Amino acid sequence: MPDRKFRDDPLPRIWPGTGPMPDRTDGADESDAERRRRRARFLRDLAEARALRDRVQPRRAKTARLRHAMRMRTFRW
């Protein structure tokens, strides 16, 4: 349909951090603090995603908790 009008969205919905990366040729430009900041942000997002999954799938979360507890009980030090 060539005459179909598409709405121009001034704010595209993309995930933060998934945009074009700055051009890094050797990676030496990245500071250690920046790497730690990115890692901390990733771990926060991961924990938030796990918490969301646990809320929307309580039965699976309970099963996973019980399985984890069983692994911890049977782990040999």
Side-chain angles (χ1 to χ4, degrees), residues 49-69 71:
R50 284 183 178 151
L52 175 64
R53 186 183 61 201
D54 290 350
R55 280 198 308 273
V56 298
Q57 298 178 339
R59 191 179 315 156
R60 185 175 291 180
K62 180 181 178 186
T63 306
R65 269 195 318 273
L66 293 173
R67 199 173 293 129
H68 181 35
R71 273 198 313 269

PDB file of all heavy atoms in Angstrom, residues 49-69 71:
ATOM      1  N   ALA A  49      14.968  -7.374  35.754  1.00  0.00           N
ATOM      2  CA  ALA A  49      14.295  -8.315  34.864  1.00  0.00           C
ATOM      3  C   ALA A  49      13.942  -9.606  35.595  1.00  0.00           C
ATOM      4  O   ALA A  49      12.856 -10.169  35.402  1.00  0.00           O
ATOM      5  CB  ALA A  49      15.178  -8.613  33.655  1.00  0.00           C
ATOM      6  N   ARG A  50      14.854 -10.084  36.443  1.00  0.00           N
ATOM      7  CA  ARG A  50      14.563 -11.299  37.214  1.00  0.00           C
ATOM      8  C   ARG A  50      13.406 -11.070  38.176  1.00  0.00           C
ATOM      9  O   ARG A  50      12.556 -11.942  38.352  1.00  0.00           O
ATOM     10  CB  ARG A  50      15.802 -11.735  37.980  1.00  0.00           C
ATOM     11  CG  ARG A  50      16.814 -12.402  37.107  1.00  0.00           C
ATOM     12  CD  ARG A  50      17.993 -12.885  37.913  1.00  0.00           C
ATOM     13  NE  ARG A  50      18.937 -13.580  37.044  1.00  0.00           N
ATOM     14  CZ  ARG A  50      20.221 -13.638  37.262  1.00  0.00           C
ATOM     15  NH1 ARG A  50      20.737 -13.054  38.328  1.00  0.00           N
ATOM     16  NH2 ARG A  50      21.006 -14.278  36.439  1.00  0.00           N
ATOM     17  N   ALA A  51      13.389  -9.908  38.830  1.00  0.00           N
ATOM     18  CA  ALA A  51      12.303  -9.605  39.753  1.00  0.00           C
ATOM     19  C   ALA A  51      10.967  -9.533  39.016  1.00  0.00           C
ATOM     20  O   ALA A  51       9.946 -10.039  39.511  1.00  0.00           O
ATOM     21  CB  ALA A  51      12.575  -8.285  40.474  1.00  0.00           C
ATOM     22  N   LEU A  52      10.973  -8.931  37.835  1.00  0.00           N
ATOM     23  CA  LEU A  52       9.751  -8.862  37.035  1.00  0.00           C
ATOM     24  C   LEU A  52       9.287 -10.260  36.643  1.00  0.00           C
ATOM     25  O   LEU A  52       8.109 -10.597  36.752  1.00  0.00           O
ATOM     26  CB  LEU A  52       9.982  -8.018  35.788  1.00  0.00           C
ATOM     27  CG  LEU A  52       8.820  -7.951  34.805  1.00  0.00           C
ATOM     28  CD1 LEU A  52       7.630  -7.269  35.458  1.00  0.00           C
ATOM     29  CD2 LEU A  52       9.235  -7.219  33.546  1.00  0.00           C
ATOM     30  N   ARG A  53      10.225 -11.092  36.202  1.00  0.00           N
ATOM     31  CA  ARG A  53       9.862 -12.463  35.816  1.00  0.00           C
ATOM     32  C   ARG A  53       9.292 -13.217  37.012  1.00  0.00           C
ATOM     33  O   ARG A  53       8.320 -13.967  36.867  1.00  0.00           O
ATOM     34  CB  ARG A  53      11.085 -13.180  35.270  1.00  0.00           C
ATOM     35  CG  ARG A  53      10.748 -14.556  34.711  1.00  0.00           C
ATOM     36  CD  ARG A  53      11.964 -15.269  34.247  1.00  0.00           C
ATOM     37  NE  ARG A  53      12.873 -15.473  35.367  1.00  0.00           N
ATOM     38  CZ  ARG A  53      14.162 -15.705  35.255  1.00  0.00           C
ATOM     39  NH1 ARG A  53      14.722 -15.738  34.077  1.00  0.00           N
ATOM     40  NH2 ARG A  53      14.908 -15.897  36.320  1.00  0.00           N
ATOM     41  N   ASP A  54       9.885 -13.027  38.188  1.00  0.00           N
ATOM     42  CA  ASP A  54       9.378 -13.709  39.382  1.00  0.00           C
ATOM     43  C   ASP A  54       7.968 -13.247  39.739  1.00  0.00           C
ATOM     44  O   ASP A  54       7.161 -14.027  40.225  1.00  0.00           O
ATOM     45  CB  ASP A  54      10.315 -13.483  40.567  1.00  0.00           C
ATOM     46  CG  ASP A  54      11.636 -14.213  40.399  1.00  0.00           C
ATOM     47  OD1 ASP A  54      11.748 -15.036  39.460  1.00  0.00           O
ATOM     48  OD2 ASP A  54      12.551 -13.946  41.187  1.00  0.00           O
ATOM     49  N   ARG A  55       7.683 -11.969  39.492  1.00  0.00           N
ATOM     50  CA  ARG A  55       6.332 -11.473  39.787  1.00  0.00           C
ATOM     51  C   ARG A  55       5.300 -12.006  38.812  1.00  0.00           C
ATOM     52  O   ARG A  55       4.176 -12.304  39.205  1.00  0.00           O
ATOM     53  CB  ARG A  55       6.308  -9.941  39.748  1.00  0.00           C
ATOM     54  CG  ARG A  55       6.835  -9.299  40.996  1.00  0.00           C
ATOM     55  CD  ARG A  55       6.408  -7.848  41.097  1.00  0.00           C
ATOM     56  NE  ARG A  55       6.710  -7.058  39.927  1.00  0.00           N
ATOM     57  CZ  ARG A  55       7.863  -6.433  39.697  1.00  0.00           C
ATOM     58  NH1 ARG A  55       8.834  -6.520  40.572  1.00  0.00           N
ATOM     59  NH2 ARG A  55       8.036  -5.725  38.611  1.00  0.00           N
ATOM     60  N   VAL A  56       5.656 -12.108  37.549  1.00  0.00           N
ATOM     61  CA  VAL A  56       4.656 -12.515  36.567  1.00  0.00           C
ATOM     62  C   VAL A  56       4.584 -14.027  36.404  1.00  0.00           C
ATOM     63  O   VAL A  56       3.633 -14.528  35.817  1.00  0.00           O
ATOM     64  CB  VAL A  56       4.896 -11.850  35.189  1.00  0.00           C
ATOM     65  CG1 VAL A  56       4.781 -10.346  35.307  1.00  0.00           C
ATOM     66  CG2 VAL A  56       6.199 -12.253  34.582  1.00  0.00           C
ATOM     67  N   GLN A  57       5.560 -14.773  36.913  1.00  0.00           N
ATOM     68  CA  GLN A  57       5.534 -16.234  36.849  1.00  0.00           C
ATOM     69  C   GLN A  57       5.834 -16.804  38.228  1.00  0.00           C
ATOM     70  O   GLN A  57       6.884 -17.418  38.445  1.00  0.00           O
ATOM     71  CB  GLN A  57       6.561 -16.740  35.836  1.00  0.00           C
ATOM     72  CG  GLN A  57       6.291 -16.282  34.433  1.00  0.00           C
ATOM     73  CD  GLN A  57       7.359 -16.762  33.478  1.00  0.00           C
ATOM     74  OE1 GLN A  57       8.465 -17.087  33.861  1.00  0.00           O
ATOM     75  NE2 GLN A  57       7.013 -16.806  32.215  1.00  0.00           N
ATOM     76  N   PRO A  58       4.923 -16.622  39.192  1.00  0.00           N
ATOM     77  CA  PRO A  58       5.230 -17.021  40.567  1.00  0.00           C
ATOM     78  C   PRO A  58       5.456 -18.525  40.729  1.00  0.00           C
ATOM     79  O   PRO A  58       6.282 -18.947  41.534  1.00  0.00           O
ATOM     80  CB  PRO A  58       4.019 -16.555  41.368  1.00  0.00           C
ATOM     81  CG  PRO A  58       2.940 -16.351  40.373  1.00  0.00           C
ATOM     82  CD  PRO A  58       3.596 -16.039  39.076  1.00  0.00           C
ATOM     83  N   ARG A  59       4.755 -19.345  39.966  1.00  0.00           N
ATOM     84  CA  ARG A  59       4.934 -20.792  40.120  1.00  0.00           C
ATOM     85  C   ARG A  59       6.326 -21.217  39.665  1.00  0.00           C
ATOM     86  O   ARG A  59       6.999 -22.002  40.317  1.00  0.00           O
ATOM     87  CB  ARG A  59       3.876 -21.538  39.299  1.00  0.00           C
ATOM     88  CG  ARG A  59       3.838 -23.013  39.616  1.00  0.00           C
ATOM     89  CD  ARG A  59       2.781 -23.737  38.821  1.00  0.00           C
ATOM     90  NE  ARG A  59       1.531 -23.022  38.797  1.00  0.00           N
ATOM     91  CZ  ARG A  59       0.608 -23.166  37.852  1.00  0.00           C
ATOM     92  NH1 ARG A  59       0.812 -23.997  36.850  1.00  0.00           N
ATOM     93  NH2 ARG A  59      -0.515 -22.502  37.892  1.00  0.00           N
ATOM     94  N   ARG A  60       6.769 -20.649  38.546  1.00  0.00           N
ATOM     95  CA  ARG A  60       8.112 -20.971  38.058  1.00  0.00           C
ATOM     96  C   ARG A  60       9.169 -20.452  39.024  1.00  0.00           C
ATOM     97  O   ARG A  60      10.183 -21.114  39.259  1.00  0.00           O
ATOM     98  CB  ARG A  60       8.316 -20.363  36.675  1.00  0.00           C
ATOM     99  CG  ARG A  60       9.621 -20.750  36.058  1.00  0.00           C
ATOM    100  CD  ARG A  60       9.751 -20.252  34.658  1.00  0.00           C
ATOM    101  NE  ARG A  60       8.841 -20.957  33.781  1.00  0.00           N
ATOM    102  CZ  ARG A  60       8.746 -20.728  32.474  1.00  0.00           C
ATOM    103  NH1 ARG A  60       9.499 -19.821  31.920  1.00  0.00           N
ATOM    104  NH2 ARG A  60       7.902 -21.409  31.744  1.00  0.00           N
ATOM    105  N   ALA A  61       8.927 -19.283  39.605  1.00  0.00           N
ATOM    106  CA  ALA A  61       9.885 -18.717  40.547  1.00  0.00           C
ATOM    107  C   ALA A  61       9.981 -19.589  41.802  1.00  0.00           C
ATOM    108  O   ALA A  61      11.079 -19.826  42.326  1.00  0.00           O
ATOM    109  CB  ALA A  61       9.478 -17.298  40.921  1.00  0.00           C
ATOM    110  N   LYS A  62       8.840 -20.083  42.272  1.00  0.00           N
ATOM    111  CA  LYS A  62       8.859 -20.937  43.458  1.00  0.00           C
ATOM    112  C   LYS A  62       9.603 -22.236  43.168  1.00  0.00           C
ATOM    113  O   LYS A  62      10.423 -22.692  43.983  1.00  0.00           O
ATOM    114  CB  LYS A  62       7.428 -21.254  43.891  1.00  0.00           C
ATOM    115  CG  LYS A  62       7.359 -22.130  45.114  1.00  0.00           C
ATOM    116  CD  LYS A  62       5.942 -22.440  45.503  1.00  0.00           C
ATOM    117  CE  LYS A  62       5.891 -23.344  46.705  1.00  0.00           C
ATOM    118  NZ  LYS A  62       4.537 -23.767  47.017  1.00  0.00           N
ATOM    119  N   THR A  63       9.365 -22.812  42.021  1.00  0.00           N
ATOM    120  CA  THR A  63      10.066 -24.032  41.634  1.00  0.00           C
ATOM    121  C   THR A  63      11.564 -23.794  41.549  1.00  0.00           C
ATOM    122  O   THR A  63      12.368 -24.617  42.007  1.00  0.00           O
ATOM    123  CB  THR A  63       9.535 -24.535  40.270  1.00  0.00           C
ATOM    124  OG1 THR A  63       8.120 -24.677  40.354  1.00  0.00           O
ATOM    125  CG2 THR A  63      10.148 -25.864  39.898  1.00  0.00           C
ATOM    126  N   ALA A  64      11.950 -22.668  40.980  1.00  0.00           N
ATOM    127  CA  ALA A  64      13.374 -22.351  40.871  1.00  0.00           C
ATOM    128  C   ALA A  64      13.995 -22.160  42.247  1.00  0.00           C
ATOM    129  O   ALA A  64      15.128 -22.607  42.494  1.00  0.00           O
ATOM    130  CB  ALA A  64      13.558 -21.093  40.024  1.00  0.00           C
ATOM    131  N   ARG A  65      13.271 -21.504  43.169  1.00  0.00           N
ATOM    132  CA  ARG A  65      13.779 -21.329  44.537  1.00  0.00           C
ATOM    133  C   ARG A  65      13.981 -22.678  45.223  1.00  0.00           C
ATOM    134  O   ARG A  65      15.008 -22.918  45.874  1.00  0.00           O
ATOM    135  CB  ARG A  65      12.810 -20.478  45.358  1.00  0.00           C
ATOM    136  CG  ARG A  65      13.079 -19.017  45.331  1.00  0.00           C
ATOM    137  CD  ARG A  65      12.344 -18.275  46.429  1.00  0.00           C
ATOM    138  NE  ARG A  65      10.972 -18.692  46.643  1.00  0.00           N
ATOM    139  CZ  ARG A  65       9.910 -18.219  45.985  1.00  0.00           C
ATOM    140  NH1 ARG A  65      10.076 -17.296  45.073  1.00  0.00           N
ATOM    141  NH2 ARG A  65       8.701 -18.640  46.250  1.00  0.00           N
ATOM    142  N   LEU A  66      12.990 -23.571  45.089  1.00  0.00           N
ATOM    143  CA  LEU A  66      13.101 -24.883  45.713  1.00  0.00           C
ATOM    144  C   LEU A  66      14.251 -25.694  45.108  1.00  0.00           C
ATOM    145  O   LEU A  66      15.000 -26.367  45.822  1.00  0.00           O
ATOM    146  CB  LEU A  66      11.779 -25.655  45.557  1.00  0.00           C
ATOM    147  CG  LEU A  66      10.599 -25.077  46.331  1.00  0.00           C
ATOM    148  CD1 LEU A  66       9.319 -25.817  45.971  1.00  0.00           C
ATOM    149  CD2 LEU A  66      10.850 -25.136  47.817  1.00  0.00           C
ATOM    150  N   ARG A  67      14.415 -25.613  43.795  1.00  0.00           N
ATOM    151  CA  ARG A  67      15.507 -26.318  43.128  1.00  0.00           C
ATOM    152  C   ARG A  67      16.859 -25.786  43.590  1.00  0.00           C
ATOM    153  O   ARG A  67      17.792 -26.552  43.837  1.00  0.00           O
ATOM    154  CB  ARG A  67      15.342 -26.153  41.621  1.00  0.00           C
ATOM    155  CG  ARG A  67      16.096 -27.175  40.822  1.00  0.00           C
ATOM    156  CD  ARG A  67      15.763 -27.080  39.349  1.00  0.00           C
ATOM    157  NE  ARG A  67      14.394 -27.455  39.085  1.00  0.00           N
ATOM    158  CZ  ARG A  67      13.523 -26.725  38.369  1.00  0.00           C
ATOM    159  NH1 ARG A  67      13.899 -25.587  37.843  1.00  0.00           N
ATOM    160  NH2 ARG A  67      12.290 -27.137  38.183  1.00  0.00           N
ATOM    161  N   HIS A  68      16.947 -24.475  43.717  1.00  0.00           N
ATOM    162  CA  HIS A  68      18.197 -23.859  44.178  1.00  0.00           C
ATOM    163  C   HIS A  68      18.508 -24.279  45.617  1.00  0.00           C
ATOM    164  O   HIS A  68      19.652 -24.607  45.961  1.00  0.00           O
ATOM    165  CB  HIS A  68      18.090 -22.345  44.066  1.00  0.00           C
ATOM    166  CG  HIS A  68      19.321 -21.612  44.490  1.00  0.00           C
ATOM    167  ND1 HIS A  68      20.589 -22.078  44.288  1.00  0.00           N
ATOM    168  CD2 HIS A  68      19.486 -20.429  45.126  1.00  0.00           C
ATOM    169  CE1 HIS A  68      21.471 -21.221  44.772  1.00  0.00           C
ATOM    170  NE2 HIS A  68      20.821 -20.219  45.291  1.00  0.00           N
ATOM    171  N   ALA A  69      17.478 -24.297  46.461  1.00  0.00           N
ATOM    172  CA  ALA A  69      17.676 -24.714  47.851  1.00  0.00           C
ATOM    173  C   ALA A  69      18.153 -26.166  47.915  1.00  0.00           C
ATOM    174  O   ALA A  69      19.029 -26.510  48.721  1.00  0.00           O
ATOM    175  CB  ALA A  69      16.383 -24.535  48.636  1.00  0.00           C
ATOM    176  N   ARG A  71      19.860 -27.750  45.600  1.00  0.00           N
ATOM    177  CA  ARG A  71      21.264 -27.769  45.158  1.00  0.00           C
ATOM    178  C   ARG A  71      22.186 -27.325  46.279  1.00  0.00           C
ATOM    179  O   ARG A  71      23.259 -27.896  46.480  1.00  0.00           O
ATOM    180  CB  ARG A  71      21.446 -26.843  43.955  1.00  0.00           C
ATOM    181  CG  ARG A  71      21.165 -27.500  42.639  1.00  0.00           C
ATOM    182  CD  ARG A  71      21.764 -26.728  41.485  1.00  0.00           C
ATOM    183  NE  ARG A  71      21.510 -25.294  41.523  1.00  0.00           N
ATOM    184  CZ  ARG A  71      20.483 -24.691  40.957  1.00  0.00           C
ATOM    185  NH1 ARG A  71      19.576 -25.377  40.304  1.00  0.00           N
ATOM    186  NH2 ARG A  71      20.337 -23.381  41.039  1.00  0.00           N
TER     187      ARG A  71
END
